[in-house]
């Protein structure tokens, strides 16, 4: 038994043994704790006002809608500049935004629009760490330990989801919502420091040009017989190592340079269009977008329940969000040490369906602990979706495109919670909790059939998942998957 536990923990120990990954992960984790406190603090600032319950939907939209615009910019920035510096700048900007609330309070009062502005700034820059951190993992962690590294990121979200809301619920009653935001500002400063102390540069490798610049000798490999003018292989210094042979979630990540007709774009590699020709990425991204619509509804339902249907106020909101995070912690820990098997898509479909059933627990009102149990179920089964799918994305997206690839996919997924917030607000305002619960269930569970169908032809270690490229340009794949449902 002890040997089994040690074997399960081995990937975590190896991942954390790397100094740079450990420093970046710890900095990110501290920042996430502050973010967990901020959501509760801003929510309570709005609820404390006259008519505040009707403004919760607007606050949720400010939190989530700017993610789409910010995500479109985050990818190119992450692929062009050193990720250490991008993460540091993001932390400084958002830290200043959070500090503006306690500063305004100290100077005489918080202007009514300020919480919404702060939420919008948070959402606008949110995609930088959401895409930047996972895009940095392949540069800091060996391929065999990436599931563990991705699980550690999910663990950070989960622990932060437990500590942040719980601390905020306690501190709001003692020092007030405004000062709670000062803790988040401090956490951003710590993350910026951590990012800047990472020793290894996190700049993307430039793509190999198809032909040498004019006037310079041709130092590339001999031309490929299928593509005149394109080298048949990369030089040793730029080749990507092959996938781990025994890793069921891996895919051969080496790729040949392609001609402009097949999508070479600028100095950083292929265009992103290939993402939308990948059936697995398309189906799973759409499925996760739907799940996040339901979580957007939950983002509004949780404070509404705590304020109007359950007892305990801010402390109860902290309990609900902490239950969600505890479930995520348990689910991520298990997923990081356990492979999804030879049918990763079907495994993701199964856990998404189980997570969807947790939304029905809101009908257990006014029993706080029964409602919290539903939040626990949602977190428990949504976390493996994040871990398994993120490892699969890392294997499918070429290294020079990871910043843009992660930013695009996560932007699409993070752009849908405002739809949920806008949908559930009128239902809750008129007391239709049953209709809200059923809507969340249907939206979250609806894509499960499509996931299972798409996964039927995709098995780990097979070549059945090929893209629609001509036969001479096909790339062997061994698994398929996508993004993560992130509240």
């Amino acid at each position: 038994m002890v040997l089994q536990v040690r074997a399960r923990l081995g990937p975590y120990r190896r991942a954390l043994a790397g100094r740079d990954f450990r420093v970046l992960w710890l900095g990110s984790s501290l920042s996430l704790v502050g973010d967990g406190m901020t959501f509760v603090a801003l929510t309570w600032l709005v609820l404390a006002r006259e008519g505040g319950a009707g403004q919760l939907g607007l606050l949720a939209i400010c939190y989530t809608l700017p993610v789409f615009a910010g995500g479109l910019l985050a990818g190119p920035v992450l692929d062009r500049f050193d990720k250490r510096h991008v993460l540091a700048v993001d932390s400084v900007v958002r830290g200043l935004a959070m500090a503006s609330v306690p500063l305004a309070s100290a100077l005489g009062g918080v202007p009514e629009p300020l919480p919404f502005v702060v939420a919008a700034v948070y959402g606008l820059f949110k995609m930088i760490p959401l895409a930047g951190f996972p895009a940095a993992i392949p540069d800091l962690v060996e391929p065999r330990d990436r599931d563990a590294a991705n699980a550690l990121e999910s663990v950070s979200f989960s622990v932060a989801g437990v500590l942040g809301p719980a601390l905020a619920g306690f501190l709001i009653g003692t020092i007030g919502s405004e000062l709670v935001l000062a803790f988040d500002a401090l956490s951003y400063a710590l993350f910026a420091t951590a990012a800047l102390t990472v020793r290894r540069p996190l700049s993307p490798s430039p793509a190999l040009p198809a032909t040498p610049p004019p006037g310079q000798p041709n130092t590339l490999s001999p031309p490929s017989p299928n593509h005149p003018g394109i080298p048949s292989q990369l030089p040793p210094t730029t080749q990507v190592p092959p996938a781990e042979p025994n890793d069921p979630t891996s895919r051969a990540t080496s790729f040949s340079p392609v001609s402009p007709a097949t999508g070479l774009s600028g100095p950083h590699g292929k265009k992103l269009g290939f993402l939308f020709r990948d059936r697995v990425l398309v189906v799973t991204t759409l499925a996760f977008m739907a799940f996040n619509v339901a979580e957007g509804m939950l983002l509004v339902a949780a404070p509404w329940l705590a304020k109007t249907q359950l007892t305990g106020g801010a402390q109860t909101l902290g309990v609900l969000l902490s239950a969600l995070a505890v479930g995520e912690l348990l689910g991520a820990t298990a997923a990081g040490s356990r492979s999804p098997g030879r049918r990763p898509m079907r495994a993701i479909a199964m856990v998404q369906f189980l997570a969807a059933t947790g939304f029905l627990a809101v009908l257990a009102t006014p029993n706080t602990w029964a409602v919290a149990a539903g939040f626990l179920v949602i977190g428990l089964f949504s976390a493996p979706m994040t871990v398994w799918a993120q490892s699969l994305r890392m294997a499918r997206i070429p290294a020079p495109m990871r910043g843009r690839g992660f930013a695009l996919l996560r932007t699409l997924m993070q752009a849908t919670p405002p739809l949920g917030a806008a949908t559930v607000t009128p239902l809750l305002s008129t007391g239709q909790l049953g209709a809200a619960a059923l809507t969340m269930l249907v939206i979250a569970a609806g894509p499960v059939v499509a996931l299972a169908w798409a996964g039927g032809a995709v098995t780990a270690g097979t070549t059945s998942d090929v893209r629609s490229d001509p036969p001479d340009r096909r790339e062997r794949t061994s698994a398929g998957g996508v993004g993560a449902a992130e509240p």
Side-chain angles (χ1 to χ4, degrees):
M1 180 67 178
V2 174
L3 293 178
Q4 289 181 338
V5 172
R6 288 181 178 177
R8 291 286 178 88
L9 294 178
Y12 292 103
R13 291 199 304 268
R14 292 193 299 268
L16 291 172
R19 183 256 181 202
D20 285 343
F21 174 77
R22 184 172 66 249
V23 168
L24 193 64
W25 175 71
L26 288 174
S28 173
S29 300
L30 291 173
S31 179
L32 289 171
V33 172
D35 289 348
M37 298 173 68
T38 289
F39 175 73
V40 177
L42 287 178
T43 299
W44 228 250
L45 271 176
V46 173
L47 280 174
R49 299 171 177 174
E50 183 177 352
Q55 296 179 327
L56 284 178
L58 176 60
L59 182 66
I61 290 173
C62 289
Y63 245 104
T64 54
L65 187 60
V67 172
F68 184 76
L72 297 178
L73 299 175
V77 170
L78 288 166
D79 277 342
R80 182 170 295 274
F81 300 103
D82 193 312
K83 297 176 183 65
R84 299 173 299 175
H85 303 153
V86 177
L87 290 170
V89 170
D90 161 69
S91 295
V92 171
V93 171
R94 290 202 286 175
L96 291 174
M98 300 304 162
S100 68
V101 174
L103 180 61
S105 178
L107 294 177
V110 179
E112 185 170 336
L114 186 57
F116 302 97
V117 173
V118 171
V121 171
Y122 172 86
L124 184 64
F125 287 85
K126 179 179 181 179
M127 194 52 60
I128 289 180
L130 275 183
F133 185 85
I137 287 177
D139 294 326
L140 303 176
V141 179
E142 294 293 330
R144 63 173 179 167
D145 298 324
R146 287 177 189 171
D147 271 352
N150 290 323
L152 285 169
E153 186 199 16
S154 293
V155 166
S156 296
F157 279 104
S158 304
V159 172
V162 174
L163 295 180
L167 287 173
F170 171 75
L171 292 174
I172 285 173
T174 56
I175 63 175
S177 300
E178 297 85 354
L179 287 179
V180 169
L181 293 170
F183 286 90
D184 195 16
L186 176 61
S187 73
Y188 277 120
L190 294 175
F191 189 22
T193 302
L196 293 175
T197 56
V198 171
R199 296 169 181 168
R200 177 169 181 169
L202 298 177
S203 302
S205 301
L208 184 68
T211 57
Q216 294 188 14
N218 186 350
T219 59
L220 301 178
S221 301
S224 166
N226 292 326
H227 301 284
I230 304 300
S232 60
Q233 64 180 15
L234 294 174
T237 56
T238 59
Q239 281 186 321
V240 182
E244 293 291 327
N246 296 323
D247 182 1
T249 65
S250 67
R251 166 184 173 266
T253 56
S254 59
F255 60 97
S256 300
V258 293
S259 66
T262 60
L264 193 63
S265 175
H268 296 294
K270 297 179 183 177
K271 292 179 180 179
L272 292 176
F274 83 93
L275 296 177
F276 301 104
R277 297 194 301 270
D278 187 309
R279 178 189 58 185
V280 172
L281 291 179
V282 170
V283 172
T284 48
T285 298
L286 291 174
F288 280 72
M289 289 171 69
F291 192 88
N292 282 347
V293 171
E295 289 209 325
M297 300 176 71
L298 198 67
L299 191 69
V300 175
W304 180 83
L305 288 169
K307 181 72 174 180
T308 66
Q309 304 296 311
L310 306 174
T311 59
Q315 289 79 9
T316 297
L317 177 58
V319 168
L320 296 180
L321 297 179
S322 295
L324 180 69
V326 167
E328 292 172 347
L329 175 61
L330 297 174
T333 302
S337 59
R338 186 178 183 85
S339 166
R342 294 186 58 82
R343 297 282 186 178
M345 293 280 285
R346 289 185 174 178
I348 293 172
M350 179 179 297
V351 293
Q352 179 160 343
F353 174 77
L354 294 174
T357 62
F359 290 100
L360 291 176
V362 299
L363 298 176
T365 301
N367 189 324
T368 298
W369 296 110
V371 175
F375 278 64
L376 180 74
V377 169
I378 295 171
L380 181 64
F381 292 106
S382 64
M385 296 159 55
T386 300
V387 174
W388 295 336
Q390 187 159 287
S391 292
L392 297 171
R393 279 201 311 264
M394 287 178 181
R396 301 184 75 83
I397 301 175
M401 300 181 61
R402 285 190 182 124
R404 285 168 291 168
F406 276 100
L408 176 61
L409 295 180
R410 284 195 159 185
T411 295
L412 290 173
M413 291 182 285
Q414 290 291 322
T416 56
L419 299 177
T423 300
V424 79
T425 298
L427 293 176
L428 297 179
S429 298
T430 55
Q432 300 183 61
L433 181 59
L438 182 60
T439 302
M440 286 188 281
L441 171 66
V442 171
I443 292 175
V448 167
V449 174
L451 279 170
W453 168 79
V458 181
T459 60
T462 72
T463 58
S464 59
D465 177 34
V466 291
R467 303 192 182 104
S468 57
D469 297 322
D472 62 338
R473 292 201 301 271
R474 286 179 178 173
E475 296 174 275
R476 180 180 62 83
T477 62
S478 59
V482 70
E486 295 163 30

